Amino acid sequence: MIERMLVANRGEIARRVQAACRARGISTAAVFSDPDAGARFVLEADVAVRLPGSSPAETYLRIDAVVAAALACGADAVHPGYGFLSENAAFARAVLAAGLTWVGPTPESIDAMGSKVAAKALVAAAGVPVLAELDPASVTEADLPILVKASAGGGGRGMREVHALAELEEAVAAAQREAASAFGDGTVFCEPLLRGARHVEVQLMADTHGTVWTLHERDCSLQRRHQKIVEESPSPGVDATTRTRLHAAARAAAGALGYVGAGTVELLLGDDGRLAFLEVNTRLQVEHPVTEAVHGIDLVGWQIAVAEGAVLPAEPPAAHGHAVEVRLYAEDPSQDWRPASGTLHRLHVPGVDTEFGVPPGAHGLRLDSGVVDGDEVGVHYDPMLAKLIAHGPDRASALRRLVTALRGAEIHGLTTNRGLLVGLLTHPAFTTGGVDTGWLDARDPATLVAGPARVDLAVLAAALVLAERGGSRRATPTGWRNLPSAPVRTTFTHGDDEHVVDHLLVHGRLQSAGDVDHAGVELVSLTPTGAVLAVDGVRHAFRVAVHGAQVEVDSPLGAVSLRWQDPLPEPRAVLAAGAMVAPMPGAVVRVSVTQGQLVAAGDEVLVLEAMKMEHRVLAPTAGTVASVAVAQGDQVAAGTVLAVVSADVPEDAAEPAEERA
């Protein structure tokens, strides 16, 4: 019996495993990097051991340091979570060699699936359909389009689509860099890109006594850049015959491996019914809660039980209802999925029935999060904040519950993909079950974001609340006015837009309201935390939270994040015309221009790596590179000047290469 479990991971999955351990009376141990010293998963563990350093390579990917930490804190078992070392056979062997219990499949199974190239050959021999493997060095025009994939790891990292041979060399190099950074292995390979396919996977759970469960399939087709953001079970439109084929393929793969523990067989399902093997994830998946919901089981609990030698029942609990999960990321989909960092002031989702477990009733809403109010979200790790899972008697009810929860959530301090998630879950293509793996990447995400219905009302409510709080330097507390006075002016920015509100309250009544016509708007009530406005007789309640210059307005009309413009700002340095600044903290992995070079608008100037993904920084306008302020390998903070592109072009300057061509 396991007495103390070391969770060799961080964030949401560390908290998930800790919750399962606590439910079984198992003591928990955490390891943490320096940026994670105050993280929730560290504070909730019974004991914790520091791994000095910040990057994954220095900390969570160091086998020797993690095993030493387990021994130092008296752990007798290790759960790897997902990501990091979870699919590293050397880590599993090191844990076992140290006399500890490994909560996962055998090192031999991990080895067999650790190389996607070898894995495809193994399962193909067992009768599982696979796509042809292509050597990057021998790809021809006839092979296109193809997908470059990391042989180790997953989660969309180390993957690039190639539609022209001219793109291949850089796609391979970028995939190798990402894979090496995320998994410690830069090996990549290529395979045909199957268009119009859906991503469908089957959950495995197997014990050491020969029992293998294949649980209801999950559909993970709604992806951005090969990273899943919405998952559900069962897969819409999959009939009984296809489900039988999916389970048969999963059982064949499990049999070829002699599989033990939790794992997932991932496949592509073509619109013609064709199946093609992707990989076996020899670990727990991010999307495991949807399977837990429809089957009413605790997969992490079963992982622990199997590691202790338990026998699975002959058949798993029957599936019921429908579950949908979304991944809430700190990122801006409209800005090339730019990750966000900073303080998460507030994360509250109304109507949550449980965290890190199956809801107590037949159906419900679940939240799994690695962060809480006040936490700092850094740049070293994945930007996922939380997973929200709705389970209902059918797909429509689960989607409605999930959309309602997202719309009502209070998420303050960071830009997130919440608006995009709402837009996707309500899009006709998704609600009818018609999306494939390429659907989202083929669209501009900015056009899919569900924005607030009335920004103007939110801005007015924010201005009124700021004045009530005395937050504007020109605002006089409204309760002390007994005669008409000059209007109070408050200026906000919302995205790229500026909003100026001039309002005047006389005996508590709203007299004027600035740059937007608010005829027909009545102030019903006002407090330091909110306002109720009536529009043509219909009342709307606005909750207003002020975090320094950041003002967050939540209402049934939609969430609005504003920046209050101080009328008497502190002086600050003025950037040179054409200066390009770092949109986020990160590391410079490539500088693509030199001083004096002519560039066109949209040309790549450099590449930053942040949160384990690469982000291209592009020239905002055509001109000449006046200066380059950073070099490859530099660590930069958000707002750091990276380069300056002057709009002046010398008469004898050469044209950009692509224009010359």
Side-chain angles (χ1 to χ4, degrees):
M1 299 293 290
I2 294 170
E3 298 293 332
R4 172 168 288 174
M5 180 83 73
L6 179 117
V7 185
N9 219 293
R10 65 175 303 278
E12 169 266 328
I13 186 56
R15 296 187 73 199
R16 167 69 183 97
V17 177
Q18 288 171 352
C21 288
R22 283 194 297 272
R24 286 154 185 79
I26 298 172
S27 175
T28 59
V31 287
F32 63 92
S33 66
D34 291 338
D36 280 338
R40 187 60 43 175
F41 76 94
V42 179
L43 301 178
E44 291 176 344
D46 294 318
V47 296
V49 180
R50 176 184 174 234
L51 301 176
S54 299
S55 70
E58 296 173 300
T59 55
Y60 299 108
L61 290 174
R62 279 194 56 192
I63 292 175
D64 59 339
V66 175
V67 173
L71 296 173
C73 70
D76 56 355
V78 173
H79 192 300
Y82 52 69
F84 293 135
L85 295 170
S86 62
E87 295 180 277
N88 188 305
F91 181 49
R93 289 192 174 95
V95 168
L96 293 169
L100 306 172
T101 297
W102 168 250
V103 183
T106 65
E108 292 74 23
S109 292
I110 299 174
D111 256 340
M113 293 295 105
S115 164
K116 291 183 174 64
V117 175
K120 290 173 68 171
L122 178 64
V123 300
V128 180
V130 301
L131 293 171
E133 178 199 341
L134 304 170
D135 182 349
S138 60
V139 170
T140 67
E141 194 76 38
D143 297 319
L144 300 177
I146 63 168
L147 187 62
V148 182
K149 299 177 68 174
S151 186
R157 295 177 182 85
M159 298 180 71
R160 292 290 189 280
E161 289 185 15
V162 176
H163 297 269
L165 282 181
E167 304 169 357
L168 181 60
E169 182 178 356
E170 172 50 31
V172 169
Q176 288 172 332
R177 286 193 301 269
E178 272 189 4
S181 174
F183 316 120
D185 182 349
T187 305
V188 300
F189 68 100
C190 302
E191 66 183 18
L193 180 62
L194 191 59
R195 295 180 183 274
R198 291 161 62 186
H199 185 132
V200 183
E201 58 191 32
V202 179
Q203 176 72 55
L204 298 174
M205 180 60 74
D207 62 23
T208 58
H209 308 280
T211 301
V212 179
W213 288 353
T214 55
L215 301 165
H216 238 16
E217 82 285 345
R218 298 186 291 251
D219 194 299
C220 310
S221 300
L222 204 47
Q223 306 175 3
R224 54 106 163 124
R225 297 179 177 176
H226 308 290
Q227 286 190 302
K228 306 165 187 173
I229 55 174
V230 179
E231 303 103 346
E232 59 183 311
S233 182
S235 178
V238 167
D239 57 26
T241 300
T242 304
R243 182 165 294 121
T244 298
R245 292 169 56 217
L246 288 166
H247 282 232
R251 283 190 175 276
L257 291 167
Y259 203 79
V260 171
T264 298
V265 179
E266 300 197 349
L267 303 115
L268 288 175
L269 175 61
D271 55 8
D272 58 356
R274 175 187 176 190
L275 284 181
F277 172 82
L278 282 173
E279 60 186 337
V280 175
N281 290 135
T282 51
R283 55 170 169 83
L284 194 70
Q285 297 258 115
V286 178
E287 57 270 24
H288 73 274
V290 295
T291 298
E292 292 185 322
V294 297
H295 284 278
I297 60 175
D298 180 352
L299 288 172
V300 179
W302 275 114
Q303 281 187 296
I304 296 170
V306 166
E308 293 179 325
V311 179
L312 290 172
E315 297 294 333
H320 66 285
H322 198 101
V324 186
E325 170 184 295
V326 292
R327 304 187 191 188
L328 182 67
Y329 283 103
E331 66 182 9
D332 189 345
S334 65
Q335 297 295 322
D336 197 30
W337 309 98
R338 179 188 299 167
S341 61
T343 303
L344 179 68
H345 296 295
R346 174 78 164 152
L347 176 60
H348 172 71
V349 181
V352 169
D353 297 294
T354 189
E355 295 186 31
F356 304 110
V358 177
H363 306 107
L365 187 69
R366 166 177 170 176
L367 176 70
D368 287 12
S369 175
V371 291
V372 296
D373 294 1
D375 280 355
E376 289 292 323
V377 176
V379 299
H380 299 285
Y381 312 110
D382 187 274
M384 189 175 76
L385 299 177
K387 303 181 306 197
L388 191 60
I389 307 98
H391 181 217
D394 51 45
R395 188 171 188 257
S397 61
L399 288 175
R400 183 165 51 244
R401 181 77 183 269
L402 193 53
V403 168
T404 300
L406 284 168
R407 282 177 170 157
E410 296 177 4
I411 310 168
H412 299 169
L414 295 171
T415 301
T416 73
N417 65 336
R418 185 248 299 267
L420 175 67
L421 294 176
V422 172
L424 293 175
L425 295 176
T426 56
H427 195 284
F430 180 76
T431 57
T432 58
V435 301
D436 56 44
T437 57
W439 186 87
L440 181 53
D441 284 338
R443 287 159 175 80
D444 179 0
T447 65
L448 301 171
V449 172
R454 292 291 300 270
V455 174
D456 59 325
L457 292 177
V459 169
L460 175 59
L464 290 166
V465 168
L466 268 180
E468 178 73 6
R469 294 165 60 103
S472 169
R473 297 190 185 190
R474 290 193 57 196
T476 302
T478 54
W480 292 95
R481 287 203 181 110
N482 56 12
L483 293 172
S485 179
V488 176
R489 168 163 291 188
T490 315
T491 304
F492 300 100
T493 56
H494 174 246
D496 295 329
D497 299 325
E498 183 178 88
H499 297 266
V500 179
V501 177
D502 291 308
H503 77 271
L504 180 65
L505 292 181
V506 179
H507 303 301
R509 296 179 63 84
L510 183 64
Q511 296 294 307
S512 61
D515 65 336
V516 178
D517 181 10
H518 284 293
V521 178
E522 176 190 356
L523 176 62
V524 177
S525 64
L526 179 64
T527 71
T529 59
V532 176
L533 301 176
V535 183
D536 298 327
V538 179
R539 294 186 177 187
H540 304 274
F542 296 86
R543 303 183 305 278
V544 180
V546 181
H547 309 283
Q550 191 160 336
V551 181
E552 305 281 358
V553 184
D554 294 293
S555 79
L557 296 175
V560 177
S561 182
L562 305 169
R563 295 288 295 181
W564 171 56
Q565 301 300 303
D566 191 336
L568 298 173
E570 297 295 330
R572 62 180 181 179
V574 177
L575 294 175
M580 303 174 62
V581 300
M584 71 206 83
V588 179
V589 297
R590 181 173 68 248
V591 177
S592 307
V593 298
T594 57
Q595 184 172 342
Q597 181 177 332
L598 191 65
V599 294
D603 279 359
E604 179 181 289
V605 174
L606 53 85
V607 177
L608 286 177
E609 182 185 63
M611 295 181 177
K612 297 192 282 186
M613 298 291 285
E614 291 190 354
H615 306 271
R616 300 172 70 214
V617 178
L618 309 178
T621 185
T624 306
V625 179
S627 64
V628 178
V630 294
Q632 182 175 329
D634 286 355
Q635 293 283 336
V636 297
T640 301
V641 175
L642 305 172
V644 176
V645 176
S646 170
D648 298 328
V649 180
E651 293 183 1
D652 58 348
E655 294 180 342
E658 64 273 16
E659 294 185 10
R660 292 198 305 270

